[in-house]
Amino acid sequence: MQNEQESKRLQMVETQIRDRGIKDRRVLEAFRKVPRHLFLDEALRPQAYEDHPLPIGEKQTISQPYIVALMTEALRLTGHEKVLEIGTGSGYQTGILAQMAEQVYSIERIPSLAKRARKLLDDLKYTNVIINIGDGTQGWKEYSPYGGIIVTAAAPEAPDPLLQQLETGGRLVIPIGDEFQQDLVVYVKEGEDRYREENYGGVRFVKLIGKHGWKD
Ligand code: SAM
């Protein structure tokens, strides 16, 4: 029998994600599985499947479900990729990626968030996730190149190390703009120092803070 959170989650997938045009079956399936409410403080769990972002502490947010789905679909994952995520936050997007890629590397600059996400992802048995605490604007060269890189915070421009660490054909999904509004941009690596840009429209994210992002 479905519990209440699961039926809210299945409804969220239909009305907020599928009805708005997300078609990738693997994305829809991942959203049906990952228990978003567990990535929130208990007091916020009743709102977990509503159509808006929510606070996760440390002045950070978990994005609106549709935006997480849009960014995930934009990566065009097939299941065989190594994916790098910048901005682990609650770990919810990380869990979605873990369902859809072979291996996920995720970097978070705020230690308390990284530790909480690590514990929850361990409890949920996501064994294909490695989390690091640090400045994700510098990427994670050790495991590069990546088939996909997703940045869940807003940058003034695409950080050069992230472009360099993409494999040919790989996709970097990142909000680009000022601190108040951004466009969701995908950079597709076509060859050595050659990138094609796709624009997925307006979004609003917290700032990416680091060497190749905003200053604190
Ligand atoms: N994807 C997350 C989720 O599902 O909960 C939400 C991420 S939140 C919108 C953005 C995160 O990016 C914050 O946790 C913030 O601390 C982190 N962040 C900002 N700049 C960063 C950087 N240079 N490296 C790593 N993480 C960074």
Side-chain angles (χ1 to χ4, degrees), residues 93-112:
Q93 169 85 74
T94 322
I96 296 281
L97 295 171
Q99 293 275 352
M100 297 195 52
E102 186 156 314
Q103 183 68 41
V104 182
Y105 302 90
S106 185
I107 307 177
E108 170 57 55
R109 68 181 281 274
I110 300 177
S112 61

Side-chain angles (χ1 to χ4, degrees), residues 16-209:
Q16 297 175 38
I17 297 180
R18 210 171 67 95
D19 287 356
R20 286 193 183 131
I22 302 295
K23 293 192 180 70
D24 185 328
R25 284 170 181 279
R26 298 181 67 249
V27 174
L28 297 171
E29 207 38 48
F31 275 78
R32 288 188 187 108
K33 285 199 182 126
V34 180
R36 179 175 165 96
H37 59 287
L38 297 183
F39 293 82
L40 291 161
D41 279 348
E42 261 188 82
L44 290 171
R45 287 185 188 168
Q47 300 177 56
Y49 297 102
E50 292 178 5
D51 192 15
H52 50 76
L54 286 164
I56 55 171
E58 308 280 0
K59 298 190 193 141
Q60 305 301 323
T61 52
I62 180 173
S63 303
Q64 176 192 11
Y66 170 69
I67 294 296
V68 182
L70 183 66
M71 293 178 81
T72 307
E73 188 175 64
L75 283 170
R76 302 216 184 132
L77 298 175
T78 63
H80 305 293
E81 298 82 0
K82 276 193 291 183
V83 175
L84 176 65
E85 177 192 37
I86 312 303
T88 317
S90 69
Y92 175 64
Q93 169 85 74
T94 322
I96 296 281
L97 295 171
Q99 293 275 352
M100 297 195 52
E102 186 156 314
Q103 183 68 41
V104 182
Y105 302 90
S106 185
I107 307 177
E108 170 57 55
R109 68 181 281 274
I110 300 177
S112 61
L113 294 179
K115 286 178 192 154
R116 195 172 61 190
R118 172 74 277 165
K119 173 156 191 338
L120 180 57
L121 291 164
D122 281 347
D123 290 349
L124 294 172
K125 308 266 184 296
Y126 287 111
T127 53
N128 59 340
V129 173
I130 302 181
I131 296 177
N132 191 23
I133 298 168
D135 174 13
T137 68
Q138 310 198 55
W140 198 342
K141 199 158 188 290
E142 188 181 351
Y143 298 107
S144 67
Y146 301 97
I149 302 179
I150 179 169
V151 182
T152 63
E157 59 186 23
D160 201 49
L162 300 186
L163 292 169
Q164 296 299 333
Q165 290 173 28
L166 272 184
E167 66 187 28
T168 301
R171 298 166 73 82
L172 166 64
V173 178
I174 179 168
I176 300 285
D178 60 31
E179 59 183 293
F180 303 109
Q181 58 179 33
Q182 307 94 32
D183 280 333
L184 186 59
V185 180
V186 180
Y187 295 84
V188 187
K189 188 160 189 164
E190 295 193 321
E192 186 82 4
D193 287 325
R194 279 194 300 119
Y195 302 91
R196 185 180 77 244
E197 273 181 51
E198 297 170 3
N199 192 321
Y200 280 64
V203 287
R204 185 165 182 183
F205 274 83
V206 295
K207 285 199 282 186
L208 180 74
I209 296 167

Side-chain angles (χ1 to χ4, degrees), residues 4-21:
E4 195 189 334
Q5 294 289 21
E6 187 178 2
S7 59
K8 281 190 193 172
R9 181 160 70 248
L10 297 181
Q11 201 184 356
M12 170 196 84
V13 173
E14 292 310 302
T15 59
Q16 297 175 38
I17 297 180
R18 210 171 67 95
D19 287 356
R20 286 193 183 131

